[in-house]
Amino acid sequence: MGKDRCLNITTLQTKDIRWPTSLGAHGSDAMHTDPDYSCVYVTIETAEGVTGYGMTFTLGRGTDIVLLAVRAMKRLVEGRTTTSIFERFGQFWRELTSDSQLRWIGPEKGVTHLAVAAIINALWDLWGRIRNVPVWQLLAEMEPEELVSTIDFRYIEDVITPEEATAMLRKTKPTRSERIQYLLANGYPAYTTQIGWLGYSDETIRALCRKYLAAGFKAFKMKVGQDLQNDIKRCKLVREEIGWGNQFMIDANQTWNVQTAIEWVISLKDFKPLWIEEPTSPDDVLGHAKIAAALREHSIGVATGEMCCNRVMFKQFMQANALEFCQIDSARIGGVNEILSVYLMAKKLNVKVCPHAGGVGLCEMVQHLQMWDFCSVSCTMEGRMVEFVDQQHDQFVFPATINEQACYVAPRAPGYSTELKQEAILQFEYPHGTEWKRMFAEGIFTHEDY
């Protein structure tokens, strides 16, 4: 690709944006019973007038804490040129995650890593806008050496080296354009979780199953984990609606210990779930491995990753054969750069990647990553799909779009699809947005709630 324009970064600004999704039980599961879908929203402005937009996803309370972490890191971005970042992006990523004082409250996990993701995602949006291509295409059209240079391989070279990653990408390059054309024509398969939030009534679940069947979906996921008898009833209800020819997955959102997870899922085995997602603590590699081993005879896989904090944890999960479906999250680990390394490890270790999405902006972002994987890494859609949740897409300038075959349509607008509409910011910035002022005035929420 040609040499990029060199822009001067002047300011990094950040906002706390929250939507009151708890009012409709949207996003509710066994662990997160009243989420208000939220994000820390970052804008990176340049002297030349080009702006990048990025975000990290949160659930309401705590968004302000992540915002403070972003502000603590802004000094590492402001005053830089885009060339000084993008030509040594892997090294810059390490600088951002390795500040000698800030890293003490991480490192590479939790609040500080969520903040890194918001900044990094904004930088990739900016890079896509500079090159005038969507991020999936930016990644797919990079020379292997350039792409590999964006990744910090520290701590994972015992699984994959930069040289191996470069060779892997070189091998797929000759047929890459064919897959790009296929993607543009057909999109990428999606599954929906919208039918299965734990706070939904039976009638709502039935109606949503019918809605998404009519929209072309062939894979459905339901939340479980609070009450076994209720889970049995709800699994039966979903199977009645979607039939046995469609795929069905269940998600416990980390609520069980290891033995409970095994026993509970075996109690649901007759409903033929493709996977159990997040059956126990997101940090328990060996616990997941034990669960996975116990469920293999029932042809039920283990899926996890949306709360996996960094590439090192993913490395261990894959090495330990503790998951069959790797669920990277576009805002959980340190943004695009680190996620690329997980895809490359998954390719080498023969693990399917089925990304976590939903939330605010996760569908918008993660579609780019999975499309790049198809074009340049795994080169297949077999056994792979991207989660879709029908929330807040109308708040974006370039929202994720699903076609009549329930596939994500490949984005064509430059960037990472992360720009919010100005109206959304005016309404939902916390606590002074017009919608929050209205809800406080009407007593729907109180300041004590947060």
Side-chain angles (χ1 to χ4, degrees):
M1 301 183 75
K3 188 174 179 60
D4 295 325
R5 295 163 58 197
C6 182
L7 307 184
N8 296 281
I9 296 173
T10 55
T11 58
L12 185 155
Q13 297 181 340
T14 186
K15 296 179 183 294
D16 177 342
I17 316 289
R18 309 185 193 187
W19 287 265
T21 52
S22 62
L23 297 177
H26 307 306
S28 55
D29 60 53
M31 290 290 272
H32 312 95
T33 55
D34 61 344
D36 284 324
Y37 279 7
S38 308
C39 69
V40 170
Y41 185 58
V42 169
T43 56
I44 295 177
E45 298 176 353
T46 65
E48 293 74 14
V50 185
T51 302
Y53 306 87
M55 60 180 56
T56 198
F57 173 57
T58 54
L59 291 186
R61 286 185 293 275
T63 306
D64 49 341
I65 301 172
V66 183
L67 184 143
L68 290 173
V70 172
R71 289 176 178 168
M73 296 176 184
K74 65 186 293 185
R75 65 182 183 81
L76 298 168
V77 181
E78 292 180 344
R80 304 285 288 264
T81 65
T82 53
T83 299
S84 74
I85 292 173
F86 297 142
E87 287 191 352
R88 45 187 289 283
F89 211 170
Q91 186 176 338
F92 172 81
W93 187 91
R94 183 181 291 192
E95 290 175 17
L96 198 60
T97 58
S98 298
D99 178 280
S100 64
Q101 295 179 11
L102 283 176
R103 78 179 303 277
W104 190 259
I105 57 172
E108 298 183 31
K109 61 174 71 71
V111 169
T112 56
H113 225 37
L114 290 172
V116 165
I119 294 169
I120 289 294
N121 290 338
L123 285 168
W124 280 91
D125 182 68
L126 180 62
W127 202 358
R129 290 168 184 266
I130 291 171
R131 291 197 179 179
N132 199 36
V133 292
V135 164
W136 71 265
Q137 186 176 344
L138 168 64
L139 291 166
E141 293 181 348
M142 278 184 173
E143 291 299 320
E145 294 79 5
E146 182 181 25
L147 186 135
V148 169
S149 75
T150 69
I151 299 169
D152 183 357
F153 283 84
R154 181 166 60 178
Y155 308 139
I156 62 170
E157 286 191 83
D158 55 317
V159 169
I160 191 165
T161 65
E163 293 74 21
E164 287 178 296
T166 302
M168 189 182 295
L169 295 169
R170 282 180 184 155
K171 185 176 180 180
T172 65
K173 183 180 174 182
T175 55
R176 182 178 59 195
S177 62
E178 300 168 15
R179 289 183 294 279
I180 290 175
Q181 293 307 310
Y182 180 90
L183 185 65
L184 290 169
N186 299 284
Y188 200 102
Y191 75 87
T192 184
T193 307
Q194 196 66 40
I195 62 133
W197 302 120
L198 209 53
Y200 282 178
S201 67
D202 292 355
E203 294 74 21
T204 297
I205 292 171
R206 286 191 186 276
L208 289 170
C209 284
R210 293 167 186 169
K211 173 184 174 180
Y212 286 97
L213 278 169
F217 281 85
K218 296 178 174 59
F220 303 79
K221 189 170 78 183
M222 188 184 81
K223 301 293 184 173
V224 297
Q226 278 188 342
D227 179 86
L228 178 57
Q229 293 308 310
N230 189 48
D231 284 348
I232 291 170
K233 183 190 75 169
R234 292 166 68 250
C235 285
K236 182 174 183 291
L237 184 156
V238 171
R239 273 298 184 195
E240 286 174 357
E241 293 295 336
I242 71 171
W244 294 89
N246 289 313
Q247 289 182 319
F248 177 52
M249 295 84 77
I250 54 176
D251 183 357
N253 289 94
Q254 316 140 47
T255 194
W256 300 316
N257 61 35
V258 171
Q259 192 56 38
T260 302
I262 293 168
E263 294 170 0
W264 200 299
V265 175
I266 289 175
S267 296
L268 301 176
K269 66 180 174 59
D270 290 344
F271 299 104
K272 305 294 184 186
L274 174 66
W275 72 56
I276 173 62
E277 184 171 331
E278 288 199 308
T280 192
S281 165
D283 299 330
D284 190 355
V285 177
L286 298 182
H288 276 81
K290 186 174 180 180
I291 295 166
L295 296 180
R296 280 193 190 100
E297 65 179 283
H298 304 289
S299 300
I300 301 171
V302 167
T304 196
E306 73 176 85
M307 298 287 281
C308 188
C309 57
N310 54 48
R311 67 202 181 284
V312 180
M313 291 295 293
F314 274 113
K315 177 186 78 168
Q316 293 175 77
F317 272 101
M318 289 188 275
Q319 285 177 313
N321 203 20
L323 55 76
E324 184 177 344
F325 302 95
C326 173
Q327 295 179 309
I328 53 95
D329 179 288
S330 52
R332 171 60 54 183
I333 63 176
V336 176
N337 308 56
E338 189 170 26
I339 292 171
L340 300 181
S341 73
V342 176
Y343 274 102
L344 293 165
M345 288 190 290
K347 168 65 174 179
K348 181 174 178 181
L349 298 176
N350 196 31
V351 175
K352 302 181 187 73
V353 179
C354 294
H356 170 248
V360 174
L362 300 186
C363 293
E364 276 68 24
M365 290 185 282
V366 83
Q367 60 181 339
H368 290 268
L369 303 170
Q370 195 75 352
M371 290 174 183
W372 163 72
D373 174 71
F374 171 67
C375 294
S376 299
V377 186
S378 72
C379 304
T380 181
M381 297 179 183
E382 186 68 31
R384 293 161 171 81
M385 49 189 164
V386 182
E387 186 172 17
F388 178 75
V389 174
D390 203 3
Q391 294 286 154
Q392 276 67 52
H393 300 300
D394 59 331
Q395 307 294 298
F396 287 85
V397 175
F398 302 108
T401 305
I402 300 293
N403 66 20
E404 293 178 356
Q405 288 72 47
C407 292
Y408 278 87
V409 176
R412 303 305 295 268
Y416 203 20
S417 307
T418 37
E419 182 182 0
L420 286 170
K421 293 177 180 177
Q422 191 60 33
E423 180 184 7
I425 298 170
L426 292 173
Q427 288 179 321
F428 294 104
E429 184 175 3
Y430 184 85
H432 302 300
T434 57
E435 278 298 291
W436 281 104
K437 286 182 177 179
R438 177 188 65 80
M439 289 185 289
F440 287 138
E442 295 178 6
I444 296 171
F445 290 95
T446 68
H447 288 282
E448 287 71 28
D449 293 327
Y450 288 92

